Every structure is written in C-alpha cells, then in structure tokens.
Amino acid sequence: MVPALGHVSVGVSAILRARGLTHPLPHTTSGTVRKKWILILCAWTMVGLLFAAQGIVVEKVQGAHVNWVIEGALELVWWYVWAAYTPLVMGLAKRFPLTGPRVVLHIAIHTITSLTMAPVASVTQYFLSLGLLRFVFHITGTDVLHFLSPFGVGVLFMSFTGLLTYWLVVGLYQSMHFYQVAMERQTIAAQLETQLSHAELENLKSQLHPHFLFNSLHTIGILMQEDVDAAGHLLVSLGDLLRMALAQRENEITLQSELEFVGKYLEIEQTRFHDRLKVHMDIPPDLLGVYVPSLALQPLVENAIKHGISVDSTAGRLEIAAKLHNGRVRLCVRDDGPGPAPGSLLRFGVGLTNVRSRLKQLYGDEASLELTGGDGRGCEAIITIPLRNSH
C-alpha cells in the first residue's frame, strides 16, 4: 500500500509542477506576449466597430449626414487608447484581486486608480482624435465641432465612460481568472483520481500475489509427492498468471483479457479441488470486446471459492456470466455453496471493498457492486458498469 501512495504523491507533485502552481511567477515567452496583445487589439476593435455602427445608425435615423469612415476612426481611437491601458489594468487586477481578506483595500485602490486613469485616457483620446481630424482628414476650424465636443464637455463625458471601461476590464479579468483556476482544479482532480485508481490497482496486485503464492506453492508441494507432471503444469500456470498480473498497467481491459486472467486463476484452483470445481461460463461473443475494470472478476471468483465452494464438500459449481441490462454491462459470479444465513448481513471483505472503491473512482455513480444470497443456497456477486466498446 505504501509504494502505491508514494506513487500518488509523486504524481501530485508532477501535476502541480506541470500546472505551474509551485511557481508564483511563471515564465512568459515573447510569443505569449504577442498573442496577448493581438487578442486585446482584436477584442477592442470589435467593441469599437460595434459602437461605431450604433452611432452611425442613430445619426442616420435622426436624418443627419454621416461620414462613416471618420465616425469609425474616431470611435476606434477611443477604444485603442483603452487597448493600450488594458495590460496595466489587468496587471492591477492580478495584483489587487477583488477577493480575500483585503478586498476592501483593493476596491479602494481600484477606485482611486480608475478616477485617475479615466480622465487621462479621455484627454489622450481627445487630442489623438483632434490630430486625426486635422492631419489625416484635413478638418479644421469650427468643422471639428461637428465630430468632437468642446474639450471640457468631451473629456468629462468620456471620463465617465472610462470609469465604466476600467471596471469592466477588472471584472472580465477576475471572471477569466476564476474560470482558469476552476478548470485547473478540475483537471488536477481528474488526474489525481486517475493516480488514485492506479494506486488501487497496484494495491490489489500487492494483495493478490502473496495469496496466490501461498496457496499455489502449498498445492505444488503436495503434488510434487503425488504427481510431478501435474505439479509442473501448475508451476507453468502460476508463472503465466503472475506475468499477466505484473504486466497489467491499464485500469480497464477487454472482457476477453479479464476472462483469460480468470481462466489462469481457475486452472490453479481446479488443481486444488480436482474434479469437484465445475466452471460454467455464459458470455455472449459480442460482449468480449467491451471494457471492464482490470482485476475486477478475479476477486469475485476468489470470494466465491473461498466462502462458498471450499467450505462445503457438496458444493462445486461456479457460474460466470455477462449480459447487457438497460444499456449497461452486468458481470455475475455465482457459487452453489451454503450461502449466507437467513437474515444475516452480507459483509464485504478487503478484496470486494477494493473492487467497489475502484468502480466508484472509475465510473462514479454509474457503477455498482452487489452481493446477494441465492434462493436458499449459494451467493451471487454482480458488477454493473457503463457499456464501453473502446477507449
């Protein structure tokens, strides 16, 4: 169990490093900066064109003569001024977030900054627009007033718009930051869940191997005195089984692969029980390719043999079945042992508890493991999982 948890710990550290959560100031490449500027310019260009279109439509409705080129250019000047200020505002929003214990202080800082930056942006926009009219469109004198309000009125009006723009940028940055953090946490949680699922698989293997070795080597020791050929065959089966278990790295494998593993396990058990153990399989061919949790059936088979067949000399029938039920795959393992006493509470051992935990991690509430008594005799374990034909 310890190595598996250590593996998870290493995996967590790797995930955090990969996400940059262990470094407060991640390195920013020139390509990233260029991409950010392009996105900012594109965003403000779209906003400017929308406002320009709105202004042109309003003036057209009022019956005024409109030069859409000049109107559009003046509108873009204003928003490009704020495009230049956007990285600064985003930096302030990052430095003074509107969350945490110091949120009141941060709101005060943003308020003072917005009251300063909005008039500066308005003055900048006014003189840039004035220069555009004079030197590009050659509009001078009183004709300028057709496109620009007087300095005081224009700066005052645009300062109010600037205040709204500043807080809009801060709000958008906070929203994107919250979304990014939420996505990173979700990704880390998913990767951690995968790591934990692998840890559960390794833990199951660590329990599986000693059990196999103890029982199988004991049987081999007895057979060496009675039937050397049978003992040799058992050694080969044990080697194949351990090789398959050690080579298994995936959390899900095809049902056919899982049944091959269970078959190797049953070869060993049939050597122990001789002709008493009868295995009956009811597996539709079209279900052999569906994916099931690795090492899911073996603990159920082991539980049926240990608590059912081995405790009753008259028992010996083991049934393994698979079928589709309401769009899900049901895997059933049933024995004809004495079964639980009437009214008794069925308990999950370590192996079945491990299987149920892995089902929860892999499929959530879409999977289940049930343990029920038979009709007066035997016990049945049923795994229900979503139908998956491929990864």
Side-chain angles (χ1 to χ4, degrees):
M1 187 67 177
V2 174
L5 293 177
H7 179 65
V8 175
S9 177
V10 173
V12 173
S13 300
I15 293 171
L16 294 177
R17 286 196 299 271
R19 292 290 163 186
L21 299 181
T22 58
H23 302 284
L25 294 175
H27 177 66
T28 303
T29 63
S30 58
T32 303
V33 174
R34 189 183 307 111
K35 183 178 180 180
K36 182 173 72 174
W37 273 107
I38 291 175
L39 290 175
I40 290 173
L41 286 174
C42 289
W44 286 122
T45 299
M46 292 178 62
V47 173
L49 293 176
L50 287 174
F51 274 91
Q54 180 186 23
I56 291 173
V57 170
V58 170
E59 293 189 26
K60 281 288 188 180
V61 171
Q62 294 175 350
H65 174 71
V66 180
N67 188 320
W68 63 271
V69 176
I70 297 178
E71 293 287 349
L74 293 177
E75 194 68 47
L76 287 174
V77 166
W78 165 252
W79 296 111
Y80 282 155
V81 168
W82 275 102
Y85 282 130
T86 295
L88 175 60
V89 178
M90 292 174 65
L92 291 171
K94 180 179 180 180
R95 178 65 179 83
F96 305 107
L98 300 180
T99 56
R102 308 183 69 181
V103 61
V104 176
L105 175 61
H106 293 174
I107 290 176
I109 292 173
H110 283 297
T111 301
I112 295 172
T113 305
S114 63
L115 291 172
T116 303
M117 188 177 292
V120 173
S122 299
V123 172
T124 304
Q125 179 267 344
Y126 188 88
F127 283 108
L128 286 176
S129 298
L130 188 61
L132 184 68
L133 290 173
R134 288 181 177 179
F135 300 110
V136 177
F137 296 108
H138 307 292
I139 299 174
T140 58
T142 56
D143 292 338
V144 172
L145 297 177
H146 180 72
F147 299 98
L148 288 179
S149 302
F151 177 77
V153 176
V155 169
L156 181 63
F157 175 76
M158 296 310 294
S159 294
F160 176 74
T161 305
L163 286 173
L164 297 178
T165 304
Y166 179 93
W167 285 102
L168 175 64
V169 174
V170 171
L172 286 175
Y173 176 83
Q174 292 289 155
S175 299
M176 290 188 296
H177 176 69
F178 291 149
Y179 176 79
Q180 182 180 6
V181 170
M183 290 298 100
E184 287 180 346
R185 289 177 178 174
Q186 184 176 348
T187 301
I188 291 174
Q191 293 181 357
L192 284 176
E193 191 168 327
T194 300
Q195 292 284 342
L196 288 173
S197 186
H198 281 292
E200 291 285 350
L201 179 59
E202 295 301 320
N203 181 43
L204 184 57
K205 289 181 185 178
S206 69
Q207 297 171 10
L208 189 67
H209 299 164
H211 178 76
F212 277 148
L213 290 174
F214 178 80
N215 288 321
S216 301
L217 291 177
H218 177 71
T219 303
I220 290 171
I222 296 176
L223 285 176
M224 288 295 292
Q225 302 175 11
E226 301 175 356
D227 189 341
V228 176
D229 291 337
H233 176 75
L234 185 57
L235 274 174
V236 173
S237 298
L238 178 60
D240 291 341
L241 184 69
L242 294 178
R243 189 180 303 110
M244 292 172 66
L246 290 171
Q248 184 54 250
R249 290 292 181 268
E250 299 296 329
N251 281 307
E252 289 181 301
I253 58 176
T254 62
L255 178 57
Q256 181 173 356
S257 298
E258 180 70 6
L259 290 173
E260 289 175 359
F261 182 83
V262 171
K264 289 293 181 182
Y265 170 78
L266 288 173
E267 282 184 20
I268 297 174
E269 294 295 347
Q270 283 178 322
T271 303
R272 291 176 55 212
F273 288 94
H274 302 289
D275 295 333
R276 185 158 70 90
L277 179 59
K278 304 294 184 181
V279 180
H280 300 268
M281 290 196 181
D282 182 13
I283 312 293
D286 57 339
L287 290 183
L288 292 175
V290 302
Y291 280 85
V292 300
S294 58
L295 297 181
L297 277 177
Q298 187 278 331
L300 272 59
V301 172
E302 179 182 353
N303 187 74
I305 294 175
K306 180 179 179 181
H307 298 286
I309 296 174
S310 64
V311 299
D312 188 346
S313 60
T314 64
R317 180 179 177 86
L318 180 70
E319 300 176 6
I320 301 175
K323 63 180 179 179
L324 283 179
H325 179 73
N326 294 332
R328 297 185 179 185
V329 178
R330 298 188 70 180
L331 306 174
C332 307
V333 176
R334 191 181 189 281
D335 65 83
D336 63 346
S344 63
L345 181 64
L346 294 174
R347 296 176 179 267
F348 279 51
V350 175
L352 296 187
T353 300
N354 203 327
V355 171
R356 185 166 60 178
S357 176
R358 290 183 61 228
L359 290 174
K360 180 70 174 179
Q361 291 170 0
L362 288 172
Y363 310 107
D365 296 332
E366 295 185 74
S368 63
L369 172 59
E370 302 174 18
L371 196 61
T372 61
D375 298 331
R377 187 170 180 84
C379 187
E380 185 176 34
I382 303 173
I383 290 178
T384 304
I385 57 174
L387 174 62
R388 293 185 183 178
N389 290 310
S390 66
H391 285 300

